[in-house]
Amino acid sequence: FNILVNSSYHAVITDFGSARKQANVDMMKSDASEGPCHATNADINKDSKSPHVELNSNTLELTLTGLDFSLRWIAPEVLKDQVQDLPSDIWAVGWICWEIITGKIPFEELKQEVPIVVHVTTGKLPEIRGQSQLSQVLQLCGLMSDCWILNPTKRPDASKLLRTLSLMPSIVPSALKLGDEKVRSAELLLQLGAMYRRQNDTMNAESHYRSALKVTSKTQNLRAEADAWLGVGSIYRAQSRNREAEEALKKAHEIHSRIGDDVGTANALQGLGSIYRAQSRNREAEEALKKAHEIHSRRGNDLGTANALDGLGSIYRDQSRDQEAEEALKKAHEIHSRIRNHMGTATALHCLGQIYDAQSRNREAEEALKKAHEIQSRIGNHMGTAKALQGLGQIYAAQSRYREAEEALKKAHEIQSRIGNHMGTANALQGLGEVYRDQSRNREAEEAFKKAHEIHSRTGNHDGTANALYGLGEVYRAQSKYREAQEALKNVHEIHSRIGNDLGTANALDALGEIYRAQSRNREAEETFKKAHEIQSRIGNHMGTANALLALGELHRTQSRNQDAEKCFTKAQHLYSLIRDDLGTGNTLRSLGMLSSDQREHEQAQSLFCQALSAYNRLGSSFERAQTLPLLAQTYLNNGNSLEAEESLNEALMIGIQLDDDKLQARSLALLSRIFRSGSKYSVTLAAPPPARVACRQTGYDDILRGAALHDHGKAFLVQSKYGQAEDAYSLSRDLFSRAGDARGEAFALRSLGTLYTLQGRLELAANRFAQARRTSIAISDYDGELMALSCLMGGYLLQNKLAGLRSYCLEALRMYDRTQWFGSKVSSAPPRKRFHDHLDASDRPLPKSR
C-alpha cells in the first residue's frame, strides 16, 4: 500500500491491492517454531503470489518472482519464503518511521538488489543511534528497533503499536490564519519546548513556551495556555527558581481545573509536587501527587498513573520511607513495562536502584541500574545512558570499587560532554570528585568540583552550584584547610536558604558543625548541629535527624559529657533501626562502643563493636568493617585476649590491602607490630588453657600461613615503593615464622628485609640482616639458604667496593658448592616437614645448586 497526506495534514493509506486476511496467530507461532511455512489463505487470489527470491551464491545473480514491489521494505521471513503475515507489515512500519524522520528510503546507499537482500536477511540494519535526526525522538527509535526484530513472533502487534504511538508527542500542523498572517501552532511550540527541555536546553525551551503563551493570548486556546504555563514551571524548577515555578504551575492548575481538563489538572499537580519536594515540603508534595495519581487512575491514563507513582516513590525515598518508596516504584515499573514505555521503565529502574543503594542493597541496586543502562542504550537515549552510568558509579564507590566507579563516571562525563548537556557534565564531574575524595586524591577532587561549580554557576543552576561547593568544602576539610572549607560551606548554606531547600540547608549545617568540631570550637559546633537537627526533624527526614544526633553525640563524647552522648546515640540508633539503615546502625553502635571504652567498660565495648560488625556484614561494607576491627582488637587486648586481637587486625590488614587504603594498612600494621613486640603477650595467652580452636592455631601451622601471606604483601608493597609498609610486613612475617619455629621461613624474611634496606641505601643494616639470615640457615643446615645469604652479602660488599670482604665470601661460597655437590647425593630418611617453602610460588623457591 501507499501512504499519502491529505489537505488536513493527516496521513491516509491507499492502494490495498495486495492486502489479505490475517493468518491465525497461534498457527503462525507454531509454524515459526517448526520451520519455514507457506501462507495458505484460501481467499487470496490464486494469481497473487508472495515474492520469491533465489540467489545464486556463485554468480551472485538474483531472481525475484511475484508481485511488483520494492525489496527495500520486505521483511526477512518473506525473502526466506516463510510465513508472511501482520508481523511482516510491522517490519515495514519501522521503515515508514525511518522515512518520515530521516527523509531517506530504506538502504538508500545501496543501488543493487543483491546487497539489499543480504542486508535484510542477515539483519544488517541502520545504526539508529548514529542518526542525528533520530536523537530527539528516542521513543520512536525504540519502536523502530522493536519493529525490526528478526524473529517475527517477537515484533509488536497492531494494538501494541497503536498504544506505544499514543504515548509519543505528536502534532498535526495548524492551518489557522488571522488575516493574511499564518499563526504558528501553539501545540507545535509546546512540543518544541518539551523537546528542548528534555535536552536540558532551558533557554530555547523557555523561549518556545513563552512564544506559545503569546499565540494563545491571540487564539484564546486555554488548554494550550495552561500547558505552556506547565512548561514554564518545569523550566523554573530546573533552575531552582522555586517561587516562580510554583506560581506558574498554580496558574496551569487553575486553568485546567476551570476548563474541566482532568489530565492537565493532574499534570499540574505533579509539577507542584515536584516543587514542594525540592523545598522539603513533603506533606504538600505527597498530597499533590496522591491527587494526581487518583485522577490519572480514574481516567485510565496509565502513563500519568505511572509518572505519579514515580513522584511518590521519590517523596517516600527522601523521607527514608523505603518500603513505601519501593512499592510505589515497582508499581510504576510494572505499568511502564506493560505499556511498552521504555524510557519510563528505565526511569523506574533507576529510582529503584537509588532506593536499594540507600538501603545498601548493593547487588539489587547494581542489577536495577544495569538494566536501566541497557534499556537507555538500546533506545539510544544518551542522556539516560549517562545517568545510569552515574548511578552505577555511585554504587561502585559505596562498595569501595573505585576503579569501576571512576570508569563508569568518566564514560558518563564523556557522553554528557558529547551531547552538550551542561548539567549532566557537571553532575558527572561531581561524582568523579567524590570518588577522588574518597581515595584522598584531593588535588584531582578539587579540580573536578571546581569545574562542576563553574558549569553550574554559568548555567544558573543554583542547586548544582551549592552541591559542587559542598564537595569542595569536604575536600578542604579532609586536608584540614578549615578556613576555605568554612567559606565554601557558608556559601552552600546561603544558596540553599535563599532557594528554600531545607534539606540542603540542614546538610550544610551538619558539615559546618564538623568543621567547628575539628577546630575545637565546641559551642559553635553544638549550636550548628542543633539547628540541623531541628530542620531535619521538622521536614520529617529520619535519616538526617539521626545523622545530626550522631554528630551531636560524638561532640559530647569528645567533651566527656558521657550521659548526653549516650542519649544522642540511643535516639540515633532508634531512628536508624526504624528506617532499617544498617550503615547508620553500625556507626551508632561503634560510637557507643567507643563511649564504653572511654569509660573502661571493655566487655560492653566488645559487645557493641561486635554488633556494629554484624550491621556492616548485612550492609556488605568492608571499609566500615575495617575501620571497626582495630577498635575491637584494642578491646580484646584490654580484656587480655591478644590472639583474638591479632586475628581482628589481620582481617583489617587484608581489607586495607584489597581496598588499596594506605591508612587502613598502616594502622593495622602498627597495632600488629605492637602485639608481636609485646613481651607480655605470651605470658597472657599462656596463663590459661586455650580452647581447642586456639590450641590448634598455636601448633604453628596457621602462623606459617599468615607469615607467608604477610611476606607476599611485603613484596607487593616493595613493588609499589611503599617501603615503610613493606618493612612492617616483612618484620611481622619474620616474627610469625620465629614463633612457629620455622627457621627457613625466618631466614627468607630476613633476606627480604636485607633486600629492602639495600634498595633504600641502608647498606650496613642490610648486611646485618643478611648475616642473621645466614646464621639462621647454618643452624638448620639449610645450604640453599646459606648460599643465598652469602650471595646477598657479596652483592652488598660489591656496592660498597669492599673487595677484600667480597673475595672472602666468594671463597666461602666456592667451598660450599664443592661440599654441597657431594652432600646433595645423600638421601635423607627423615620425613618431610611442612614449612614455609610449601607455600611459596615457583618464583620464591631457591634456585637449584650449580657450579
Side-chain angles (χ1 to χ4, degrees):
F1 56 80
N2 291 318
I3 300 175
L4 307 178
V5 179
N6 65 16
S7 58
S8 301
Y9 303 106
H10 285 84
V12 291
I13 299 175
T14 64
D15 298 339
F16 288 87
S18 62
R20 56 183 177 176
K21 187 176 180 181
Q22 181 182 357
N24 181 279
V25 176
D26 292 334
M27 180 189 74
M28 182 189 73
K29 291 181 179 178
S30 171
D31 292 342
S33 64
E34 293 172 4
C37 177
H38 299 276
T40 58
N41 289 342
D43 58 341
I44 301 176
N45 189 303
K46 292 181 181 180
D47 296 331
S48 172
K49 296 181 180 179
S50 296
H52 181 70
V53 178
E54 291 182 0
L55 176 65
N56 188 319
S57 59
N58 295 322
T59 64
L60 293 182
E61 291 180 352
L62 180 76
T63 304
L64 173 67
T65 59
L67 298 173
D68 184 18
F69 56 89
S70 174
L71 284 169
R72 298 177 186 272
W73 288 264
I74 297 178
E77 66 271 12
V78 180
L79 293 175
K80 294 176 182 177
D81 204 23
Q82 296 173 358
V83 64
Q84 178 183 4
D85 206 74
L86 181 62
S88 306
D89 291 335
I90 297 298
W91 172 279
V93 169
W95 284 115
I96 292 167
C97 297
W98 168 270
E99 287 185 88
I100 292 170
I101 301 302
T102 66
K104 300 176 182 178
I105 63 172
F107 307 110
E108 187 173 86
E109 72 283 2
L110 303 179
K111 306 303 179 185
Q112 302 296 323
E113 292 178 329
V114 172
I116 293 173
V117 171
V118 172
H119 275 60
V120 172
T121 54
T122 59
K124 192 176 181 181
L125 304 176
E127 177 58 46
I128 295 175
R129 284 169 287 177
Q131 297 293 320
S132 58
Q133 298 101 319
L134 295 176
S135 62
Q136 318 304 337
V137 283
L138 300 174
Q139 289 175 300
L140 191 59
C141 289
L143 179 64
M144 289 161 60
S145 295
D146 289 346
C147 290
W148 290 342
I149 294 173
L150 290 179
N151 184 343
T153 63
K154 293 186 178 180
R155 294 174 202 152
D157 58 24
S159 61
K160 287 181 181 177
L161 199 68
L162 181 62
R163 187 163 58 244
T164 304
L165 287 168
S166 70
L167 297 173
M168 299 182 191
S170 60
I171 289 297
V172 176
S174 171
L176 178 65
K177 293 183 180 181
L178 292 178
D180 295 327
E181 180 185 0
K182 182 173 180 179
V183 180
R184 292 187 77 184
S185 164
E187 286 81 4
L188 177 61
L189 289 165
L190 290 171
Q191 294 295 342
L192 286 169
M195 181 187 77
Y196 287 121
R197 178 167 57 83
R198 283 191 289 270
Q199 299 171 18
N200 284 330
D201 186 348
T202 54
M203 186 178 296
N204 270 317
E206 184 177 358
S207 172
H208 281 82
Y209 286 135
R210 290 290 180 187
S211 296
L213 283 171
K214 289 180 182 177
V215 172
T216 58
S217 68
K218 297 177 181 179
T219 61
Q220 299 299 309
N221 185 342
L222 293 177
R223 179 175 280 106
E225 181 186 355
D227 287 340
W229 282 119
L230 270 175
V232 170
S234 66
I235 294 299
Y236 290 154
R237 164 65 191 98
Q239 297 173 323
S240 304
R241 297 158 62 181
N242 294 327
R243 188 176 301 172
E244 295 166 276
E246 184 177 352
E247 200 175 305
L249 289 164
K250 281 184 174 178
K251 286 180 181 178
H253 180 262
E254 187 276 325
I255 296 171
H256 278 306
S257 299
R258 176 155 44 89
I259 64 177
D261 182 357
D262 284 346
V263 174
T265 302
N267 290 337
L269 285 166
Q270 282 178 228
L272 283 167
S274 177
I275 295 297
Y276 297 146
R277 178 191 167 214
Q279 299 173 80
S280 304
R281 295 157 61 181
N282 294 324
R283 187 177 301 172
E284 294 168 272
E286 184 176 350
E287 184 180 344
L289 287 165
K290 280 185 173 179
K291 286 181 180 177
H293 177 262
E294 186 275 324
I295 294 171
H296 284 310
S297 299
R298 174 163 45 81
R299 291 294 302 264
N301 181 0
D302 286 337
L303 180 59
T305 303
N307 289 338
L309 286 167
D310 281 329
L312 281 168
S314 298
I315 293 292
Y316 297 145
R317 185 187 70 207
D318 290 346
Q319 300 174 79
S320 303
R321 295 159 62 182
D322 293 332
Q323 192 169 344
E324 293 169 273
E326 184 176 352
E327 185 179 337
L329 289 166
K330 280 184 173 179
K331 286 180 181 176
H333 175 261
E334 185 277 323
I335 295 171
H336 285 308
S337 300
R338 174 163 47 80
I339 64 177
R340 298 178 70 83
N341 180 12
H342 300 306
M343 196 177 296
T345 304
T347 300
L349 283 167
H350 192 115
C351 292
L352 278 169
Q354 291 177 314
I355 293 291
Y356 298 143
D357 180 31
Q359 297 175 290
S360 302
R361 294 158 62 183
N362 295 323
R363 186 163 53 84
E364 293 167 275
E366 184 175 349
E367 185 180 340
L369 285 164
K370 280 184 173 178
K371 286 181 180 177
H373 176 261
E374 185 276 324
I375 294 171
Q376 300 284 22
S377 300
R378 175 163 50 82
I379 66 175
N381 183 2
H382 302 304
M383 194 182 301
T385 303
K387 284 183 178 179
L389 284 168
Q390 284 170 228
L392 282 168
Q394 291 173 348
I395 295 296
Y396 296 145
Q399 300 173 74
S400 303
R401 295 159 60 184
Y402 294 122
R403 187 177 299 172
E404 294 167 272
E406 185 175 349
E407 184 180 342
L409 287 163
K410 281 184 173 178
K411 284 181 182 177
H413 177 260
E414 185 276 324
I415 294 171
Q416 300 283 25
S417 301
R418 174 163 45 83
I419 65 177
N421 181 10
H422 301 305
M423 188 184 299
T425 303
N427 289 338
L429 283 167
Q430 282 176 222
L432 280 167
E434 289 167 7
V435 169
Y436 295 145
R437 185 187 65 205
D438 290 346
Q439 299 174 84
S440 300
R441 295 161 61 181
N442 293 318
R443 185 179 299 174
E444 294 167 276
E446 184 176 348
E447 184 180 343
F449 283 126
K450 281 183 174 178
K451 285 181 180 177
H453 176 260
E454 186 277 324
I455 295 171
H456 284 310
S457 300
R458 175 163 44 84
T459 57
N461 181 5
H462 302 305
D463 259 336
T465 303
N467 291 336
L469 281 170
Y470 185 93
L472 269 174
E474 290 293 279
V475 171
Y476 293 143
R477 180 162 72 93
Q479 300 173 82
S480 302
K481 296 160 75 171
Y482 296 126
R483 187 171 57 184
E484 293 95 328
Q486 182 177 331
E487 183 182 346
L489 291 165
K490 280 188 172 179
N491 286 332
V492 174
H493 179 263
E494 186 276 326
I495 293 170
H496 283 311
S497 299
R498 174 162 45 84
I499 65 177
N501 183 353
D502 286 339
L503 181 60
T505 303
N507 289 339
L509 286 167
D510 267 330
L512 276 169
E514 294 294 347
I515 297 292
Y516 298 144
R517 182 159 68 112
Q519 296 175 283
S520 299
R521 296 159 61 182
N522 294 330
R523 184 178 299 174
E524 293 167 277
E526 183 173 355
E527 184 180 337
T528 306
F529 286 138
K530 283 182 175 178
K531 285 181 181 177
H533 176 262
E534 186 276 323
I535 295 172
Q536 300 282 22
S537 300
R538 173 164 50 80
I539 65 177
N541 182 7
H542 295 317
M543 184 180 291
T545 306
N547 290 342
L549 284 167
L550 183 58
L552 267 173
E554 286 294 343
L555 178 64
H556 294 327
R557 188 176 71 83
T558 58
Q559 297 174 288
S560 300
R561 294 163 58 183
N562 295 332
Q563 193 171 354
D564 291 335
E566 187 173 357
K567 284 181 182 178
C568 288
F569 290 147
T570 304
K571 287 179 182 178
Q573 186 186 1
H574 169 72
L575 286 172
Y576 285 131
S577 300
L578 196 66
I579 61 177
R580 301 178 183 179
D581 183 348
D582 285 329
L583 178 60
T585 300
N587 290 343
T588 310
L589 288 166
R590 183 169 64 195
S591 293
L592 281 166
M594 292 164 72
L595 183 63
S596 295
S597 289
D598 293 343
Q599 300 175 77
R600 301 183 182 279
E601 297 172 355
H602 300 308
E603 291 289 346
Q604 175 72 4
Q606 181 177 318
S607 172
L608 288 164
F609 288 139
C610 287
Q611 290 178 58
L613 288 173
S614 296
Y616 295 138
N617 281 344
R618 293 194 299 271
L619 180 67
S621 175
S622 55
F623 176 78
E624 296 298 342
R625 185 173 176 82
Q627 294 280 7
T628 309
L629 283 165
L631 297 171
L632 178 62
Q634 190 62 58
T635 62
Y636 283 141
L637 287 175
N638 292 332
N639 290 328
N641 193 342
S642 57
L643 286 172
E644 294 292 347
E646 181 188 334
E647 187 175 312
S648 297
L649 290 168
N650 277 329
E651 184 182 348
L653 176 61
M654 296 304 109
I655 294 173
I657 291 167
Q658 289 167 6
L659 300 181
D660 195 25
D661 190 311
D662 291 343
K663 290 181 180 178
L664 280 177
Q665 295 169 32
R667 185 181 181 191
S668 303
L669 284 167
L671 285 171
L672 277 168
S673 298
R674 281 172 50 193
I675 291 174
F676 280 111
R677 289 172 175 79
S678 170
S680 63
K681 172 186 174 181
Y682 300 103
S683 61
V684 170
T685 54
L686 297 175
R693 185 167 60 90
V694 177
C696 177
R697 193 158 50 241
Q698 285 181 314
T699 60
Y701 186 57
D702 280 358
D703 280 341
I704 294 172
L705 290 175
R706 282 200 291 273
L710 278 167
H711 189 275
D712 286 341
H713 298 321
K715 285 196 305 178
F717 292 139
L718 191 63
V719 170
Q720 300 172 61
S721 301
K722 296 178 179 178
Y723 297 132
Q725 286 150 279
E727 183 176 1
D728 283 341
Y730 285 144
S731 297
L732 285 171
S733 174
R734 175 198 174 186
D735 289 342
L736 282 165
F737 289 131
S738 176
R739 185 172 76 178
D742 187 352
R744 185 172 296 185
E746 183 182 356
F748 195 88
L750 283 165
R751 289 197 301 273
S752 296
L753 278 167
T755 302
L756 169 64
Y757 296 145
T758 302
L759 288 172
Q760 294 177 289
R762 300 158 68 184
L763 299 179
E764 286 189 16
L765 192 55
N768 180 275
R769 293 292 178 268
F770 290 139
Q772 283 181 280
R774 184 189 178 196
R775 288 195 297 271
T776 304
S777 296
I778 290 172
I780 59 171
S781 301
D782 178 9
Y783 298 104
D784 288 328
E786 185 183 353
L787 278 169
M788 283 189 281
L790 273 173
S791 176
C792 293
L793 283 165
M794 286 187 283
Y797 274 34
L798 183 62
L799 286 172
Q800 298 175 76
N801 204 27
K802 294 181 177 179
L803 300 181
L806 175 62
R807 182 175 181 278
S808 171
Y809 282 132
C810 283
L811 290 173
E812 283 191 54
L814 285 171
R815 283 195 293 271
M816 278 197 66
Y817 276 124
D818 288 334
R819 189 168 69 253
T820 54
Q821 186 177 21
W822 168 80
F823 184 79
S825 64
K826 301 287 182 180
V827 179
S828 173
S829 60
R833 299 175 65 196
K834 265 194 177 292
R835 282 298 182 231
F836 175 51
H837 287 287
D838 295 320
H839 309 289
L840 296 179
D841 58 35
S843 62
D844 290 324
R845 295 181 188 273
L847 294 172
K849 294 185 286 290
S850 61
R851 290 295 296 262

